Amino acid sequence: MKTRKVLIDANNLYVQGLIKVINDFMLEEASGYIFTEARLKNKIEKLKAVFPEERKRMAIAGSAPIFGDPTTGLYKLIFKN
């Protein structure tokens, strides 16, 4: 199957927030903190509440399936400024 490209807006505030939250999560995991998954989920939920419109516009071009689980091997995310 051919890989589909999805262009992500790196200047989008929701995307920038996700990048920071995931970086924090990885640092916490590497440091041996507990309950990191719960904190990650809570932080993502807060981002969704604060940036609802930005969340809808994070993809500039391309499309992933709207319903169901996308097969990760079929999609390539490309971040563009």
Side-chain angles (χ1 to χ4, degrees):
M1 293 187 139
K2 185 178 178 184
T3 302
R4 294 172 151 181
K5 295 180 182 178
V6 179
L7 192 59
I8 302 294
D9 181 5
N11 293 320
N12 180 295
L13 294 175
Y14 181 71
V15 172
Q16 290 177 2
L18 283 175
I19 292 168
K20 182 187 181 324
V21 164
I22 292 169
N23 283 338
D24 292 348
F25 169 76
M26 289 188 295
L27 182 59
E28 290 174 0
E29 280 284 304
S31 299
Y33 282 29
I34 59 172
F35 307 117
T36 54
E37 293 89 358
R39 277 195 294 280
L40 175 64
K41 182 180 177 189
N42 290 338
K43 289 178 182 179
I44 291 173
E45 291 297 327
K46 286 179 187 176
L47 281 173
K48 287 166 56 175
V50 172
F51 299 115
E53 292 302 314
E54 288 85 351
R55 184 172 177 237
K56 294 176 188 173
R57 295 188 308 261
M58 60 190 274
I60 299 171
S63 63
I66 296 174
F67 299 106
D69 293 330
T71 305
T72 56
L74 296 180
Y75 297 92
K76 181 178 181 179
L77 297 180
I78 301 170
F79 292 87
K80 181 173 179 165
N81 287 333

